[in-house]
Amino acid sequence: MEARQVKEKFWFFLCGLAMVVIGLALGVLVGFIAFKGGRVLSLEFLFSFPRHGMSEGGIFPAIVGTLYLVLGSILVSLPLGVFSAVYLVEYAPAHPVVRAIRSAIHCLAGVPSVVFGLFGLSVFVKLFGFGVSIVSGSLTLGIMSLPVVIASCEEALRSVPHAFREASLALGADRWTTVRRVVLPAAFPGILTGLILAVGRVAGETAPIMFTAATFYARGLPRSPFDRVLALPYHIYGLMTEGTRPEKQIPLAYGTALVLLILVLLVNFSAILLRRRFRMVRKW
Amino acid sequence: MLGEKTKLSIRNFSVFFGEKQILYDVTLDIPENRVTAIIGPSGCGKSTLLRSINRMNDFYENLRVQGEILLDGKNVYGDSVDPVALRRRIGMVFQRPNPFPKSIFENVAYGLRVQGWKNRRAIQERVEESLKAAALWDEVKDRLHASALELSGGQQQRLCIARAIAVEPEILLMDEPASALDPIATARIEELIKKLRERYTIVLVTHNMQEAARVSDYTAFLLMGRLIEFGPTAQIFTNPRRKETEDYLTGRFG
């Protein structure tokens, strides 16, 4: 064999190997959680309350709590994210200040989530007096996911051909009408995909809700947005660190982890399906 | 122009992009209900001139204009002019067909809805009239609610013309409307332009000299940002007064 061919084979093998390692790691992770968690998974586990200091029972309130937090964070991040992306893409002049703001937003994505948690604690819980509650947690999670939502909205808006905007403006539409009637509808699938991916991340975050929304124990489901809630990731943390019956709690933690994993995978999978669907519909 | 009523009067009009000057002191009277072609090699500034008429160039931040463009005697760059209202009087058709990713019907209805039309019957009637005027009705009347993106390129361009005339503008600006189309589709667009002249003042930018010769009444020849010659199309093509025009028309450059 020639040296060139050896080199070709070697690098090809190396890339393939990396691929196999990743696949194995992923498979082991999912398999492990599924194996350990599958043993406790049942309808009863999904739909009942924790009992006996978390050592028995299910995770129903944690599922509900996570859903509330996710929905709440969407209420925060969707309007804020879409409007700021529209401003950045459609209106903002090419000015150094605007450029600085844009980089600042993207940098926010790199801030550790526990920092957002502390921010939420001092601002929403204390300063605004919302207490440890769904509202405080949703605001914290919403703000944490803003950089991702804004970035994906910006990308979606930029992918709308300039020709659509010109056509609309030339017909005597002003800029806002153009954005509302042409650009946003065309960008909608991209915005939705970005939002769903952000949701997948929000659902699994522990640190931001630790001081702002979550609790290990609640009597019944939350009755108002100002109640504290159980949430899946925080419940896992609780099962592993609190209580007195680890031999009973650890299997439950794996069960909870499996539910969270399935939830996040479902969310991300639906984003992929949506994107595929819209990619077939749109032809520009 | 002798015996013609002037619709648009371009007076000492210059355009600068940053430091670079794109148009030099262009003066040109565009007559009403005629087709005026603007020809010239790529980069001569003909599209810039066209887009200055309905102020589509306003969206470029570094662009500056000098001089006047008078629409019925009133400067479109005047302080009191609202460019959005101006564009409702001056329709535009672009080089590449650019229908919205909406239904055929909604494409044509778009300008009406933007202007606040609510009455469904009135909108339906106007959409039908416009599609007929654009010679597209018979091909799409059974699938008005299908996506406009399913149409062929030529059909899409006629749809864009229907969309532009639905709001009954006074002037129709066309920026190389047939350059992205095949010869048969091109022929249909040209036929349409000749017919639309009865109701609209048309300004047609083209780098295709035959097209200008076939459809226009008047021709302006632009070269490197300057207006070289303007006159009746027949005269420009058979008996140009300037040497540059003759060189261009005979294919010596461009």
Side-chain angles (χ1 to χ4, degrees), chain A residues 93-94 163-164 166-173 175 181-182 283-284, chain B residues 51 56 59 61 84 87-88 94 98-102 110 113-114 163:
Chain A
F164 292 171
E166 286 207 315
S168 172
L169 294 166
L171 283 163
R175 287 217 209 180
R181 286 181 177 264
V182 177
K283 286 187 194 145
W284 66 82
Chain B
R51 296 166 61 94
M56 284 300 280
F59 301 105
E61 273 172 39
V84 171
R87 290 183 201 115
R88 294 180 181 184
F94 297 82
N98 57 353
F100 299 122
K102 300 173 185 286
Y110 183 83
R113 293 198 197 281
V114 164
R163 183 174 66 183

PDB file of all heavy atoms in Angstrom, chain A residues 93-94 163-164 166-173 175 181-182 283-284, chain B residues 51 56 59 61 84 87-88 94 98-102 110 113-114 163:
ATOM      1  N   PRO A  93     -30.347  49.882  13.156  1.00  0.00           N
ATOM      2  CA  PRO A  93     -29.365  50.420  12.223  1.00  0.00           C
ATOM      3  C   PRO A  93     -28.013  49.741  12.443  1.00  0.00           C
ATOM      4  O   PRO A  93     -27.771  49.172  13.501  1.00  0.00           O
ATOM      5  CB  PRO A  93     -29.308  51.902  12.604  1.00  0.00           C
ATOM      6  CG  PRO A  93     -29.737  51.949  14.036  1.00  0.00           C
ATOM      7  CD  PRO A  93     -30.693  50.811  14.236  1.00  0.00           C
ATOM      8  N   ALA A  94     -27.165  49.778  11.425  1.00  0.00           N
ATOM      9  CA  ALA A  94     -25.827  49.195  11.561  1.00  0.00           C
ATOM     10  C   ALA A  94     -24.975  50.152  12.393  1.00  0.00           C
ATOM     11  O   ALA A  94     -24.254  50.979  11.865  1.00  0.00           O
ATOM     12  CB  ALA A  94     -25.207  48.972  10.181  1.00  0.00           C
ATOM     13  N   ALA A 163     -36.336  39.372  -1.033  1.00  0.00           N
ATOM     14  CA  ALA A 163     -37.300  39.684  -2.101  1.00  0.00           C
ATOM     15  C   ALA A 163     -38.726  39.783  -1.564  1.00  0.00           C
ATOM     16  O   ALA A 163     -39.526  40.562  -2.077  1.00  0.00           O
ATOM     17  CB  ALA A 163     -37.221  38.631  -3.199  1.00  0.00           C
ATOM     18  N   PHE A 164     -39.049  38.997  -0.536  1.00  0.00           N
ATOM     19  CA  PHE A 164     -40.400  39.075   0.044  1.00  0.00           C
ATOM     20  C   PHE A 164     -40.633  40.447   0.666  1.00  0.00           C
ATOM     21  O   PHE A 164     -41.694  41.036   0.542  1.00  0.00           O
ATOM     22  CB  PHE A 164     -40.600  38.008   1.129  1.00  0.00           C
ATOM     23  CG  PHE A 164     -40.624  36.596   0.618  1.00  0.00           C
ATOM     24  CD1 PHE A 164     -40.604  35.535   1.502  1.00  0.00           C
ATOM     25  CD2 PHE A 164     -40.685  36.324  -0.746  1.00  0.00           C
ATOM     26  CE1 PHE A 164     -40.636  34.230   1.051  1.00  0.00           C
ATOM     27  CE2 PHE A 164     -40.713  35.021  -1.210  1.00  0.00           C
ATOM     28  CZ  PHE A 164     -40.677  33.969  -0.302  1.00  0.00           C
ATOM     29  N   GLU A 166     -39.080  43.236  -0.087  1.00  0.00           N
ATOM     30  CA  GLU A 166     -39.160  44.253  -1.141  1.00  0.00           C
ATOM     31  C   GLU A 166     -40.531  44.257  -1.788  1.00  0.00           C
ATOM     32  O   GLU A 166     -41.107  45.309  -2.045  1.00  0.00           O
ATOM     33  CB  GLU A 166     -38.099  43.979  -2.212  1.00  0.00           C
ATOM     34  CG  GLU A 166     -36.704  44.314  -1.776  1.00  0.00           C
ATOM     35  CD  GLU A 166     -35.829  44.660  -2.956  1.00  0.00           C
ATOM     36  OE1 GLU A 166     -35.901  43.910  -3.951  1.00  0.00           O
ATOM     37  OE2 GLU A 166     -35.105  45.667  -2.888  1.00  0.00           O
ATOM     38  N   ALA A 167     -41.055  43.054  -2.083  1.00  0.00           N
ATOM     39  CA  ALA A 167     -42.354  42.965  -2.730  1.00  0.00           C
ATOM     40  C   ALA A 167     -43.407  43.652  -1.872  1.00  0.00           C
ATOM     41  O   ALA A 167     -44.243  44.396  -2.372  1.00  0.00           O
ATOM     42  CB  ALA A 167     -42.730  41.505  -2.959  1.00  0.00           C
ATOM     43  N   SER A 168     -43.352  43.413  -0.580  1.00  0.00           N
ATOM     44  CA  SER A 168     -44.340  43.983   0.323  1.00  0.00           C
ATOM     45  C   SER A 168     -44.192  45.504   0.421  1.00  0.00           C
ATOM     46  O   SER A 168     -45.171  46.240   0.318  1.00  0.00           O
ATOM     47  CB  SER A 168     -44.205  43.345   1.702  1.00  0.00           C
ATOM     48  OG  SER A 168     -45.011  44.008   2.622  1.00  0.00           O
ATOM     49  N   LEU A 169     -42.962  45.956   0.587  1.00  0.00           N
ATOM     50  CA  LEU A 169     -42.735  47.401   0.703  1.00  0.00           C
ATOM     51  C   LEU A 169     -43.146  48.119  -0.576  1.00  0.00           C
ATOM     52  O   LEU A 169     -43.732  49.204  -0.534  1.00  0.00           O
ATOM     53  CB  LEU A 169     -41.254  47.668   1.005  1.00  0.00           C
ATOM     54  CG  LEU A 169     -40.768  47.163   2.363  1.00  0.00           C
ATOM     55  CD1 LEU A 169     -39.253  47.162   2.434  1.00  0.00           C
ATOM     56  CD2 LEU A 169     -41.347  48.013   3.490  1.00  0.00           C
ATOM     57  N   ALA A 170     -42.863  47.497  -1.719  1.00  0.00           N
ATOM     58  CA  ALA A 170     -43.195  48.127  -2.992  1.00  0.00           C
ATOM     59  C   ALA A 170     -44.702  48.210  -3.192  1.00  0.00           C
ATOM     60  O   ALA A 170     -45.184  48.984  -4.005  1.00  0.00           O
ATOM     61  CB  ALA A 170     -42.547  47.360  -4.151  1.00  0.00           C
ATOM     62  N   LEU A 171     -45.456  47.393  -2.455  1.00  0.00           N
ATOM     63  CA  LEU A 171     -46.912  47.452  -2.571  1.00  0.00           C
ATOM     64  C   LEU A 171     -47.505  48.480  -1.607  1.00  0.00           C
ATOM     65  O   LEU A 171     -48.716  48.567  -1.447  1.00  0.00           O
ATOM     66  CB  LEU A 171     -47.525  46.075  -2.281  1.00  0.00           C
ATOM     67  CG  LEU A 171     -47.407  45.083  -3.435  1.00  0.00           C
ATOM     68  CD1 LEU A 171     -47.634  43.670  -2.951  1.00  0.00           C
ATOM     69  CD2 LEU A 171     -48.392  45.428  -4.531  1.00  0.00           C
ATOM     70  N   GLY A 172     -46.635  49.230  -0.950  1.00  0.00           N
ATOM     71  CA  GLY A 172     -47.132  50.274  -0.066  1.00  0.00           C
ATOM     72  C   GLY A 172     -47.428  49.784   1.334  1.00  0.00           C
ATOM     73  O   GLY A 172     -48.272  50.348   2.017  1.00  0.00           O
ATOM     74  N   ALA A 173     -46.758  48.711   1.745  1.00  0.00           N
ATOM     75  CA  ALA A 173     -46.877  48.284   3.135  1.00  0.00           C
ATOM     76  C   ALA A 173     -45.746  48.956   3.900  1.00  0.00           C
ATOM     77  O   ALA A 173     -44.655  49.119   3.367  1.00  0.00           O
ATOM     78  CB  ALA A 173     -46.755  46.771   3.239  1.00  0.00           C
ATOM     79  N   ARG A 175     -43.046  49.039   7.262  1.00  0.00           N
ATOM     80  CA  ARG A 175     -42.148  47.965   7.717  1.00  0.00           C
ATOM     81  C   ARG A 175     -42.829  47.004   8.670  1.00  0.00           C
ATOM     82  O   ARG A 175     -42.632  45.797   8.590  1.00  0.00           O
ATOM     83  CB  ARG A 175     -40.931  48.577   8.402  1.00  0.00           C
ATOM     84  CG  ARG A 175     -40.002  49.209   7.420  1.00  0.00           C
ATOM     85  CD  ARG A 175     -38.599  48.950   7.890  1.00  0.00           C
ATOM     86  NE  ARG A 175     -37.727  50.016   7.460  1.00  0.00           N
ATOM     87  CZ  ARG A 175     -36.441  50.046   7.737  1.00  0.00           C
ATOM     88  NH1 ARG A 175     -35.914  49.105   8.485  1.00  0.00           N
ATOM     89  NH2 ARG A 175     -35.699  51.014   7.308  1.00  0.00           N
ATOM     90  N   ARG A 181     -47.111  40.579   8.317  1.00  0.00           N
ATOM     91  CA  ARG A 181     -47.880  39.804   7.342  1.00  0.00           C
ATOM     92  C   ARG A 181     -47.024  38.898   6.467  1.00  0.00           C
ATOM     93  O   ARG A 181     -47.532  37.937   5.887  1.00  0.00           O
ATOM     94  CB  ARG A 181     -48.668  40.751   6.428  1.00  0.00           C
ATOM     95  CG  ARG A 181     -49.871  41.376   7.113  1.00  0.00           C
ATOM     96  CD  ARG A 181     -50.589  42.270   6.122  1.00  0.00           C
ATOM     97  NE  ARG A 181     -51.790  42.847   6.678  1.00  0.00           N
ATOM     98  CZ  ARG A 181     -53.009  42.332   6.498  1.00  0.00           C
ATOM     99  NH1 ARG A 181     -53.172  41.253   5.762  1.00  0.00           N
ATOM    100  NH2 ARG A 181     -54.056  42.909   7.031  1.00  0.00           N
ATOM    101  N   VAL A 182     -45.756  39.220   6.307  1.00  0.00           N
ATOM    102  CA  VAL A 182     -44.931  38.430   5.392  1.00  0.00           C
ATOM    103  C   VAL A 182     -43.766  37.745   6.109  1.00  0.00           C
ATOM    104  O   VAL A 182     -43.606  36.526   6.030  1.00  0.00           O
ATOM    105  CB  VAL A 182     -44.386  39.317   4.239  1.00  0.00           C
ATOM    106  CG1 VAL A 182     -43.479  38.503   3.342  1.00  0.00           C
ATOM    107  CG2 VAL A 182     -45.539  39.916   3.448  1.00  0.00           C
ATOM    108  N   LYS A 283     -40.438  26.379  -0.428  1.00  0.00           N
ATOM    109  CA  LYS A 283     -39.607  26.064  -1.591  1.00  0.00           C
ATOM    110  C   LYS A 283     -38.642  27.163  -1.979  1.00  0.00           C
ATOM    111  O   LYS A 283     -38.063  27.121  -3.034  1.00  0.00           O
ATOM    112  CB  LYS A 283     -40.519  25.794  -2.796  1.00  0.00           C
ATOM    113  CG  LYS A 283     -41.204  24.452  -2.711  1.00  0.00           C
ATOM    114  CD  LYS A 283     -41.938  24.166  -4.004  1.00  0.00           C
ATOM    115  CE  LYS A 283     -42.905  23.020  -3.839  1.00  0.00           C
ATOM    116  NZ  LYS A 283     -44.103  23.231  -4.630  1.00  0.00           N
ATOM    117  N   TRP A 284     -38.517  28.199  -1.137  1.00  0.00           N
ATOM    118  CA  TRP A 284     -37.607  29.244  -1.566  1.00  0.00           C
ATOM    119  C   TRP A 284     -36.203  28.927  -1.148  1.00  0.00           C
ATOM    120  O   TRP A 284     -35.971  28.080  -0.309  1.00  0.00           O
ATOM    121  CB  TRP A 284     -38.051  30.608  -1.033  1.00  0.00           C
ATOM    122  CG  TRP A 284     -37.971  30.742   0.427  1.00  0.00           C
ATOM    123  CD1 TRP A 284     -36.860  31.037   1.177  1.00  0.00           C
ATOM    124  CD2 TRP A 284     -39.047  30.587   1.373  1.00  0.00           C
ATOM    125  NE1 TRP A 284     -37.166  31.081   2.495  1.00  0.00           N
ATOM    126  CE2 TRP A 284     -38.487  30.809   2.654  1.00  0.00           C
ATOM    127  CE3 TRP A 284     -40.391  30.293   1.253  1.00  0.00           C
ATOM    128  CZ2 TRP A 284     -39.248  30.734   3.803  1.00  0.00           C
ATOM    129  CZ3 TRP A 284     -41.128  30.225   2.406  1.00  0.00           C
ATOM    130  CH2 TRP A 284     -40.574  30.444   3.670  1.00  0.00           C
TER     131      TRP A 284
ATOM    132  N   ARG B  51     -35.404  52.344  -9.112  1.00  0.00           N
ATOM    133  CA  ARG B  51     -35.760  52.203  -7.698  1.00  0.00           C
ATOM    134  C   ARG B  51     -35.787  53.549  -6.972  1.00  0.00           C
ATOM    135  O   ARG B  51     -36.285  53.631  -5.857  1.00  0.00           O
ATOM    136  CB  ARG B  51     -34.786  51.253  -7.006  1.00  0.00           C
ATOM    137  CG  ARG B  51     -34.859  49.829  -7.555  1.00  0.00           C
ATOM    138  CD  ARG B  51     -33.676  49.008  -7.091  1.00  0.00           C
ATOM    139  NE  ARG B  51     -33.672  48.912  -5.656  1.00  0.00           N
ATOM    140  CZ  ARG B  51     -34.212  47.902  -4.971  1.00  0.00           C
ATOM    141  NH1 ARG B  51     -34.759  46.901  -5.621  1.00  0.00           N
ATOM    142  NH2 ARG B  51     -34.179  47.883  -3.680  1.00  0.00           N
ATOM    143  N   MET B  56     -37.504  53.011  -3.341  1.00  0.00           N
ATOM    144  CA  MET B  56     -37.083  51.735  -2.768  1.00  0.00           C
ATOM    145  C   MET B  56     -35.627  51.802  -2.341  1.00  0.00           C
ATOM    146  O   MET B  56     -35.129  50.926  -1.639  1.00  0.00           O
ATOM    147  CB  MET B  56     -37.278  50.598  -3.771  1.00  0.00           C
ATOM    148  CG  MET B  56     -38.714  50.152  -3.946  1.00  0.00           C
ATOM    149  SD  MET B  56     -39.480  49.555  -2.430  1.00  0.00           S
ATOM    150  CE  MET B  56     -38.811  47.895  -2.365  1.00  0.00           C
ATOM    151  N   PHE B  59     -34.025  52.326   1.627  1.00  0.00           N
ATOM    152  CA  PHE B  59     -33.641  51.320   2.611  1.00  0.00           C
ATOM    153  C   PHE B  59     -32.139  51.087   2.668  1.00  0.00           C
ATOM    154  O   PHE B  59     -31.653  50.387   3.538  1.00  0.00           O
ATOM    155  CB  PHE B  59     -34.378  50.009   2.344  1.00  0.00           C
ATOM    156  CG  PHE B  59     -35.874  50.195   2.395  1.00  0.00           C
ATOM    157  CD1 PHE B  59     -36.619  50.227   1.240  1.00  0.00           C
ATOM    158  CD2 PHE B  59     -36.502  50.379   3.612  1.00  0.00           C
ATOM    159  CE1 PHE B  59     -37.988  50.426   1.290  1.00  0.00           C
ATOM    160  CE2 PHE B  59     -37.868  50.586   3.675  1.00  0.00           C
ATOM    161  CZ  PHE B  59     -38.617  50.603   2.506  1.00  0.00           C
ATOM    162  N   GLU B  61     -28.666  52.402   3.674  1.00  0.00           N
ATOM    163  CA  GLU B  61     -28.322  53.460   4.609  1.00  0.00           C
ATOM    164  C   GLU B  61     -27.328  54.481   4.054  1.00  0.00           C
ATOM    165  O   GLU B  61     -27.366  55.642   4.406  1.00  0.00           O
ATOM    166  CB  GLU B  61     -27.774  52.852   5.905  1.00  0.00           C
ATOM    167  CG  GLU B  61     -28.909  52.515   6.863  1.00  0.00           C
ATOM    168  CD  GLU B  61     -28.422  51.746   8.060  1.00  0.00           C
ATOM    169  OE1 GLU B  61     -27.337  52.068   8.561  1.00  0.00           O
ATOM    170  OE2 GLU B  61     -29.133  50.809   8.487  1.00  0.00           O
ATOM    171  N   VAL B  84     -44.416  55.541   1.931  1.00  0.00           N
ATOM    172  CA  VAL B  84     -45.348  54.406   1.915  1.00  0.00           C
ATOM    173  C   VAL B  84     -46.562  54.733   1.031  1.00  0.00           C
ATOM    174  O   VAL B  84     -46.979  53.930   0.200  1.00  0.00           O
ATOM    175  CB  VAL B  84     -45.783  54.044   3.350  1.00  0.00           C
ATOM    176  CG1 VAL B  84     -46.907  53.019   3.333  1.00  0.00           C
ATOM    177  CG2 VAL B  84     -44.598  53.506   4.144  1.00  0.00           C
ATOM    178  N   ARG B  87     -45.573  54.695  -2.673  1.00  0.00           N
ATOM    179  CA  ARG B  87     -45.443  53.374  -3.283  1.00  0.00           C
ATOM    180  C   ARG B  87     -46.795  52.762  -3.617  1.00  0.00           C
ATOM    181  O   ARG B  87     -46.871  51.801  -4.377  1.00  0.00           O
ATOM    182  CB  ARG B  87     -44.644  52.448  -2.370  1.00  0.00           C
ATOM    183  CG  ARG B  87     -43.186  52.846  -2.300  1.00  0.00           C
ATOM    184  CD  ARG B  87     -42.355  51.898  -1.457  1.00  0.00           C
ATOM    185  NE  ARG B  87     -41.150  52.613  -1.034  1.00  0.00           N
ATOM    186  CZ  ARG B  87     -40.867  52.919   0.228  1.00  0.00           C
ATOM    187  NH1 ARG B  87     -41.664  52.529   1.195  1.00  0.00           N
ATOM    188  NH2 ARG B  87     -39.788  53.600   0.511  1.00  0.00           N
ATOM    189  N   ARG B  88     -47.858  53.311  -3.026  1.00  0.00           N
ATOM    190  CA  ARG B  88     -49.184  52.828  -3.412  1.00  0.00           C
ATOM    191  C   ARG B  88     -49.587  53.391  -4.768  1.00  0.00           C
ATOM    192  O   ARG B  88     -50.470  52.860  -5.427  1.00  0.00           O
ATOM    193  CB  ARG B  88     -50.208  53.218  -2.344  1.00  0.00           C
ATOM    194  CG  ARG B  88     -49.918  52.482  -1.047  1.00  0.00           C
ATOM    195  CD  ARG B  88     -50.880  52.824   0.054  1.00  0.00           C
ATOM    196  NE  ARG B  88     -50.475  52.074   1.252  1.00  0.00           N
ATOM    197  CZ  ARG B  88     -51.132  52.067   2.395  1.00  0.00           C
ATOM    198  NH1 ARG B  88     -52.237  52.769   2.504  1.00  0.00           N
ATOM    199  NH2 ARG B  88     -50.699  51.358   3.409  1.00  0.00           N
ATOM    200  N   PHE B  94     -40.350  42.990 -10.045  1.00  0.00           N
ATOM    201  CA  PHE B  94     -38.915  42.793  -9.883  1.00  0.00           C
ATOM    202  C   PHE B  94     -38.346  41.808 -10.905  1.00  0.00           C
ATOM    203  O   PHE B  94     -39.075  41.120 -11.610  1.00  0.00           O
ATOM    204  CB  PHE B  94     -38.616  42.301  -8.467  1.00  0.00           C
ATOM    205  CG  PHE B  94     -38.990  43.298  -7.409  1.00  0.00           C
ATOM    206  CD1 PHE B  94     -40.303  43.397  -6.957  1.00  0.00           C
ATOM    207  CD2 PHE B  94     -38.039  44.159  -6.886  1.00  0.00           C
ATOM    208  CE1 PHE B  94     -40.656  44.325  -5.991  1.00  0.00           C
ATOM    209  CE2 PHE B  94     -38.391  45.084  -5.909  1.00  0.00           C
ATOM    210  CZ  PHE B  94     -39.692  45.177  -5.468  1.00  0.00           C
ATOM    211  N   ASN B  98     -41.187  37.249  -7.378  1.00  0.00           N
ATOM    212  CA  ASN B  98     -41.090  37.093  -5.925  1.00  0.00           C
ATOM    213  C   ASN B  98     -42.468  37.031  -5.272  1.00  0.00           C
ATOM    214  O   ASN B  98     -42.789  37.852  -4.426  1.00  0.00           O
ATOM    215  CB  ASN B  98     -40.251  38.216  -5.319  1.00  0.00           C
ATOM    216  CG  ASN B  98     -40.795  39.593  -5.638  1.00  0.00           C
ATOM    217  OD1 ASN B  98     -41.738  39.731  -6.424  1.00  0.00           O
ATOM    218  ND2 ASN B  98     -40.228  40.612  -5.042  1.00  0.00           N
ATOM    219  N   PRO B  99     -43.279  36.042  -5.668  1.00  0.00           N
ATOM    220  CA  PRO B  99     -44.571  35.906  -4.979  1.00  0.00           C
ATOM    221  C   PRO B  99     -44.325  35.562  -3.509  1.00  0.00           C
ATOM    222  O   PRO B  99     -43.308  34.953  -3.184  1.00  0.00           O
ATOM    223  CB  PRO B  99     -45.250  34.744  -5.709  1.00  0.00           C
ATOM    224  CG  PRO B  99     -44.137  33.969  -6.305  1.00  0.00           C
ATOM    225  CD  PRO B  99     -43.053  34.956  -6.628  1.00  0.00           C
ATOM    226  N   PHE B 100     -45.270  35.953  -2.662  1.00  0.00           N
ATOM    227  CA  PHE B 100     -45.179  35.577  -1.256  1.00  0.00           C
ATOM    228  C   PHE B 100     -45.480  34.090  -1.116  1.00  0.00           C
ATOM    229  O   PHE B 100     -46.197  33.523  -1.933  1.00  0.00           O
ATOM    230  CB  PHE B 100     -46.213  36.353  -0.430  1.00  0.00           C
ATOM    231  CG  PHE B 100     -46.031  37.837  -0.472  1.00  0.00           C
ATOM    232  CD1 PHE B 100     -47.057  38.659  -0.915  1.00  0.00           C
ATOM    233  CD2 PHE B 100     -44.845  38.424  -0.076  1.00  0.00           C
ATOM    234  CE1 PHE B 100     -46.903  40.037  -0.952  1.00  0.00           C
ATOM    235  CE2 PHE B 100     -44.683  39.801  -0.114  1.00  0.00           C
ATOM    236  CZ  PHE B 100     -45.714  40.606  -0.553  1.00  0.00           C
ATOM    237  N   PRO B 101     -44.967  33.464  -0.061  1.00  0.00           N
ATOM    238  CA  PRO B 101     -45.316  32.047   0.166  1.00  0.00           C
ATOM    239  C   PRO B 101     -46.737  31.943   0.711  1.00  0.00           C
ATOM    240  O   PRO B 101     -46.967  31.462   1.804  1.00  0.00           O
ATOM    241  CB  PRO B 101     -44.272  31.599   1.194  1.00  0.00           C
ATOM    242  CG  PRO B 101     -43.839  32.840   1.885  1.00  0.00           C
ATOM    243  CD  PRO B 101     -44.001  33.959   0.915  1.00  0.00           C
ATOM    244  N   LYS B 102     -47.674  32.434  -0.068  1.00  0.00           N
ATOM    245  CA  LYS B 102     -49.087  32.405   0.295  1.00  0.00           C
ATOM    246  C   LYS B 102     -49.850  31.885  -0.913  1.00  0.00           C
ATOM    247  O   LYS B 102     -49.251  31.601  -1.947  1.00  0.00           O
ATOM    248  CB  LYS B 102     -49.583  33.820   0.619  1.00  0.00           C
ATOM    249  CG  LYS B 102     -48.891  34.522   1.772  1.00  0.00           C
ATOM    250  CD  LYS B 102     -49.380  35.960   1.854  1.00  0.00           C
ATOM    251  CE  LYS B 102     -48.639  36.764   2.895  1.00  0.00           C
ATOM    252  NZ  LYS B 102     -49.016  36.437   4.267  1.00  0.00           N
ATOM    253  N   TYR B 110     -52.995  40.945  -1.317  1.00  0.00           N
ATOM    254  CA  TYR B 110     -52.111  41.500  -0.287  1.00  0.00           C
ATOM    255  C   TYR B 110     -52.145  43.033  -0.226  1.00  0.00           C
ATOM    256  O   TYR B 110     -52.372  43.617   0.830  1.00  0.00           O
ATOM    257  CB  TYR B 110     -50.675  41.029  -0.520  1.00  0.00           C
ATOM    258  CG  TYR B 110     -49.718  41.495   0.546  1.00  0.00           C
ATOM    259  CD1 TYR B 110     -49.590  40.812   1.736  1.00  0.00           C
ATOM    260  CD2 TYR B 110     -48.953  42.647   0.377  1.00  0.00           C
ATOM    261  CE1 TYR B 110     -48.730  41.246   2.726  1.00  0.00           C
ATOM    262  CE2 TYR B 110     -48.095  43.096   1.361  1.00  0.00           C
ATOM    263  CZ  TYR B 110     -47.985  42.385   2.533  1.00  0.00           C
ATOM    264  OH  TYR B 110     -47.139  42.832   3.513  1.00  0.00           O
ATOM    265  N   ARG B 113     -55.375  44.343   1.162  1.00  0.00           N
ATOM    266  CA  ARG B 113     -55.506  44.160   2.612  1.00  0.00           C
ATOM    267  C   ARG B 113     -54.622  45.157   3.345  1.00  0.00           C
ATOM    268  O   ARG B 113     -55.011  45.697   4.378  1.00  0.00           O
ATOM    269  CB  ARG B 113     -55.111  42.744   3.000  1.00  0.00           C
ATOM    270  CG  ARG B 113     -56.068  41.688   2.466  1.00  0.00           C
ATOM    271  CD  ARG B 113     -55.883  40.374   3.225  1.00  0.00           C
ATOM    272  NE  ARG B 113     -56.479  39.249   2.516  1.00  0.00           N
ATOM    273  CZ  ARG B 113     -57.773  38.980   2.515  1.00  0.00           C
ATOM    274  NH1 ARG B 113     -58.603  39.752   3.188  1.00  0.00           N
ATOM    275  NH2 ARG B 113     -58.230  37.941   1.850  1.00  0.00           N
ATOM    276  N   VAL B 114     -53.420  45.383   2.817  1.00  0.00           N
ATOM    277  CA  VAL B 114     -52.519  46.346   3.438  1.00  0.00           C
ATOM    278  C   VAL B 114     -53.160  47.733   3.464  1.00  0.00           C
ATOM    279  O   VAL B 114     -52.996  48.495   4.407  1.00  0.00           O
ATOM    280  CB  VAL B 114     -51.176  46.378   2.662  1.00  0.00           C
ATOM    281  CG1 VAL B 114     -50.385  47.619   3.014  1.00  0.00           C
ATOM    282  CG2 VAL B 114     -50.362  45.135   2.963  1.00  0.00           C
ATOM    283  N   ARG B 163     -50.490  41.298  -8.870  1.00  0.00           N
ATOM    284  CA  ARG B 163     -50.404  41.808  -7.509  1.00  0.00           C
ATOM    285  C   ARG B 163     -50.125  43.315  -7.516  1.00  0.00           C
ATOM    286  O   ARG B 163     -50.684  44.066  -6.725  1.00  0.00           O
ATOM    287  CB  ARG B 163     -49.272  41.065  -6.783  1.00  0.00           C
ATOM    288  CG  ARG B 163     -49.086  41.416  -5.344  1.00  0.00           C
ATOM    289  CD  ARG B 163     -48.046  40.530  -4.714  1.00  0.00           C
ATOM    290  NE  ARG B 163     -46.710  40.757  -5.273  1.00  0.00           N
ATOM    291  CZ  ARG B 163     -45.627  40.071  -4.927  1.00  0.00           C
ATOM    292  NH1 ARG B 163     -45.724  39.112  -4.035  1.00  0.00           N
ATOM    293  NH2 ARG B 163     -44.461  40.333  -5.463  1.00  0.00           N
TER     294      ARG B 163
END
